[in-house]
């Protein structure tokens, strides 16, 4: 697959001291979590967009109103069926045990809509979602009603000899549409790919809303944003990344998610030079809001288009827990204005286009002096349906509007286009072309 990236790179080094070690035996270690793509999944773009809006409290109605493009009005439009394979619903994986080299298998769900990884909590392996857009490690548990435990792998607090309840501590995560998860908090040994935190805060779900129950491939989240966003009350807790970071060879997590390959990886503690080409562009991150947030003030459509300024949301966050790339309404409208037959469909929910349409590249500013170009091949996210009047197949765009969000959300469509370094030093975000 063609991967075209423009990085005008400068280097800067920072030396910010991190928290005291929580697991001294890990000093100088690094570990890797592999992502293995599974065949047979059908991505569902509208569902991915709804999930992103829900996560960041974006009003779907306001998002639709943010664009002046007309909706798709064909009455005979037939949406493509979205079937989740039974194997994904079990929440199990035949490679769930950490290998001798510290590598564990990670599965792509519904055509890269979500990535789940085996996480050991108190010796119990749970398939969970790695999420750089949140800071809570919460898990489906034996404290939930029996009916809600169906089709999920749960963490049984009574089966762990190392679990300890934290008296008086609770958590509650709420979203814009009213979906939520809440419960108690304890500590336990959490192991990811061979690295352990002995007393990691684990949020034990007692109540989970329907939208989470329906995501049967995932049984909780591992938040990897900054600990400021943690929702435990009255005492917010540190994330796994913050706890283990100072004990690694380097306090970094790298993300290499290749959309044209069956393998990719999350790797902690080292920057593998074989996974990228050229130099890494280091982008300053503003952690004040708790996200991996950086300046993004311009965009360009196609190779020969003019550079335009972003005015409605000139910052972005890097979020592995969002599958799409959500850009400012003006940028989304400008992009699809260059795609013949593209429409912003009220019926489907988001931008779609004829599947045989020629798509341009999309270049976006990252930081003060860098740009990154998203190849056209990753913009075609998935088939979404057929216009029965013309027989034309329509596909859903991997680039969508961020609506009324205060920032753009650069999810997996952006991240899987390159090699990305989440660096606690600075902090900073490193971007380079994938090898």
């Amino acid at each position: 697959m063609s991967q075209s990236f423009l990085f005008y790179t400068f280097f800067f080094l920072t030396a910010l001291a991190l928290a005291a070690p929580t697991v001294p035996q890990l000093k100088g270690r690094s570990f890797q979590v592999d992502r293995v793509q599974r065949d047979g999944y059908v991505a569902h773009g509208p569902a991915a967009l709804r999930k992103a809006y829900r996560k960041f409290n974006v009003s779907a109605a306001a998002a639709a109103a943010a664009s002046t493009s007309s909706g798709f009005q064909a009455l005979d439009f037939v949406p493509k069926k979205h079937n989740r394979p039974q194997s994904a619903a079990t929440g199990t994986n035949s490679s769930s045990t950490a290998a001798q080299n510290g590598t564990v298998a990670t599965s792509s769900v519904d055509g890269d809509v979500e990535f789940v990884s085996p996480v050991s909590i108190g010796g119990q392996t749970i398939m969970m979602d790695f999420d750089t857009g949140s800071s809570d490690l919460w898990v489906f548990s034996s404290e939930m009603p029996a009916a809600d435990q169906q089709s999920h792998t749960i963490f049984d607090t009574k089966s762990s000899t190392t679990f300890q309840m934290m008296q008086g501590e609770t958590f509650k995560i709420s979203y814009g549409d009213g979906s939520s998860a809440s419960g108690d908090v304890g500590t336990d040994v959490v192991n990811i790919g061979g690295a352990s935190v002995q007393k990691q805060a684990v949020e034990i779900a007692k109540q989970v809303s329907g939208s989470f129950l329906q995501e049967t491939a995932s049984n909780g989240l591992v938040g990897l944003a900054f600990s400021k966003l943690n929702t435990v009350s009255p005492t917010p807790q540190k994330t796994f990344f913050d706890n283990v970071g100072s004990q690694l060879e380097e306090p970094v997590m790298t993300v290499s998610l290749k959309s044209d390959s069956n393998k990719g990886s999350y790797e902690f503690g080292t920057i593998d030079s074989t996974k990228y080409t050229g130099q890494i562009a280091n982008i300053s991150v503003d952690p004040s809001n708790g996200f991996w947030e950086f300046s993004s003030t311009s965009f360009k459509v196609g190779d020969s288009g003019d550079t335009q300024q972003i005015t409605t949301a000139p910052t972005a966050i890097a979020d592995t827990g969002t599958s799409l790339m959500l850009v400012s309404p003006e940028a989304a409208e400008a992009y699809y204005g260059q795609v013949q037959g593209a429409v912003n469909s009220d019926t489907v929910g988001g931008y779609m286009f004829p599947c045989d349409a020629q798509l341009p590249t999309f270049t976006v500013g990252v930081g003060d002096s860098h740009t990154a170009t998203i190849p056209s091949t990753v913009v075609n996210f998935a088939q979404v349906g057929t216009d029965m009047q013309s027989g034309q197949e329509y596909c859903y765009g991997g680039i969508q509007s961020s609506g009324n969000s205060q920032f753009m959300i650069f999810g997996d469509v952006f991240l899987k286009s390159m090699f990305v370094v989440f660096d606690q030093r600075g902090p900073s975000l490193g971007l380079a072309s994938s090898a």
Side-chain angles (χ1 to χ4, degrees):
M1 181 184 76
S2 172
Q3 296 191 1
S4 171
F5 310 98
L6 301 176
F7 295 105
Y8 304 98
T9 309
F10 69 94
F11 288 95
F12 60 90
L13 297 176
T14 60
L16 181 63
L18 298 179
T22 57
V23 277
Q25 67 272 23
L26 293 178
K27 192 67 178 177
R29 287 274 301 279
S30 63
F31 62 101
Q32 177 174 301
V33 181
D34 279 354
R35 166 243 182 183
V36 179
Q37 189 172 10
R38 298 164 73 185
D39 295 329
Y41 291 107
V42 178
H44 192 246
L49 185 60
R50 288 194 298 270
K51 180 180 178 182
Y53 284 168
R54 185 172 69 239
K55 178 178 181 180
F56 293 101
N57 299 333
V58 177
S59 165
S67 175
T68 59
S69 298
S70 60
F72 184 71
Q73 302 298 325
L75 298 179
D76 292 332
F77 181 79
V78 179
K80 186 178 181 66
K81 287 187 176 181
H82 175 54
N83 297 319
R84 185 186 298 276
Q86 188 64 32
S87 60
T90 64
T92 62
N93 188 306
S94 59
S95 301
S96 60
T97 302
Q100 292 299 316
N101 62 1
T103 298
V104 290
T106 300
S107 298
S108 168
V109 177
D110 295 343
D112 295 357
V113 166
E114 183 180 36
F115 296 100
V116 292
S117 310
V119 176
S120 174
I121 305 175
Q124 302 171 46
T125 300
I126 314 290
M127 299 299 291
M128 302 177 72
D129 186 5
F130 281 19
D131 183 16
T132 60
S134 67
S135 302
D136 289 70
L137 194 163
W138 69 268
V139 63
F140 280 69
S141 81
S142 54
E143 295 188 14
M144 295 170 55
D148 291 349
Q149 298 179 29
Q150 299 299 313
S151 298
H152 283 277
T153 301
I154 64 165
F155 172 62
D156 186 352
T157 58
K158 295 180 180 179
S159 297
S160 172
T161 60
T162 49
F163 178 80
Q164 293 183 333
M165 188 67 71
M166 298 178 68
Q167 297 301 320
E169 301 289 348
T170 61
F171 85 100
K172 183 174 183 179
I173 301 174
S174 298
Y175 296 87
D177 66 346
S179 62
S180 63
S182 61
D184 300 325
V185 184
T187 63
D188 210 332
V189 179
V190 174
N191 184 297
I192 299 179
S196 294
V197 174
Q198 299 300 309
K199 293 186 177 181
Q200 173 65 45
V202 179
E203 298 162 32
I204 310 301
K206 297 178 69 175
Q207 301 291 332
V208 175
S209 61
S211 57
F212 287 121
L213 294 175
Q214 293 169 9
E215 296 174 10
T216 53
S218 177
N219 308 286
L221 273 72
V222 179
L224 297 167
F226 296 96
S227 294
K228 178 178 181 177
L229 290 179
N230 184 265
T231 69
V232 174
S233 177
T235 311
Q237 300 295 307
K238 284 187 176 182
T239 66
F240 177 86
F241 192 17
D242 276 350
N243 279 330
V244 80
S246 61
Q247 305 311 306
L248 300 173
E249 183 178 340
E250 295 183 80
V252 299
M253 177 185 75
T254 65
V255 178
S256 178
L257 303 176
K258 298 181 179 180
S259 60
D260 63 338
S261 173
N262 287 333
K263 299 195 76 173
S265 66
Y266 297 91
E267 190 162 6
F268 294 75
T270 186
I271 300 174
D272 187 347
S273 61
T274 67
K275 293 181 179 178
Y276 66 92
T277 60
Q279 294 179 317
I280 296 177
N282 291 294
I283 312 302
S284 180
V285 165
D286 178 4
S288 60
N289 291 319
F291 298 105
W292 293 90
E293 185 173 351
F294 53 94
S295 174
S296 181
T297 62
S298 64
F299 72 93
K300 183 176 73 171
V301 179
D303 295 332
S304 59
D306 295 328
T307 298
Q308 303 180 53
Q309 295 302 303
I310 296 173
T311 59
T312 54
T315 61
I317 67 170
D319 180 17
T320 61
T322 294
S323 53
L324 303 174
M325 180 179 182
L326 308 187
V327 301
S328 68
E330 61 206 287
E333 187 170 351
Y335 180 83
Y336 290 106
Q338 299 299 312
V339 179
Q340 187 169 2
V343 290
N344 189 14
S345 170
D346 294 335
T347 302
V348 171
Y351 286 96
M352 63 181 188
F353 47 84
C355 291
D356 57 1
Q358 295 296 310
L359 301 176
T361 58
F362 181 73
T363 301
V364 64
V366 287
D368 295 332
S369 56
H370 306 291
T371 61
T373 299
I374 309 305
S376 59
T377 48
V378 302
V379 180
N380 189 330
F381 187 71
Q383 290 188 11
V384 74
T386 305
D387 177 7
M388 297 304 293
Q389 294 181 1
S390 65
Q392 176 67 61
E393 292 285 342
Y394 276 80
C395 285
Y396 198 77
I399 294 174
Q400 293 289 336
S401 169
S402 61
N404 63 342
S405 174
Q406 63 178 320
F407 41 65
M408 296 180 288
I409 305 161
F410 290 1
D412 293 334
V413 165
F414 174 84
L415 297 171
K416 70 186 179 182
S417 301
M418 60 195 72
F419 179 80
V420 186
V421 182
F422 293 83
D423 195 335
Q424 292 180 339
R425 296 165 298 191
S428 66
L429 197 70
L431 303 174
S433 299
S434 293

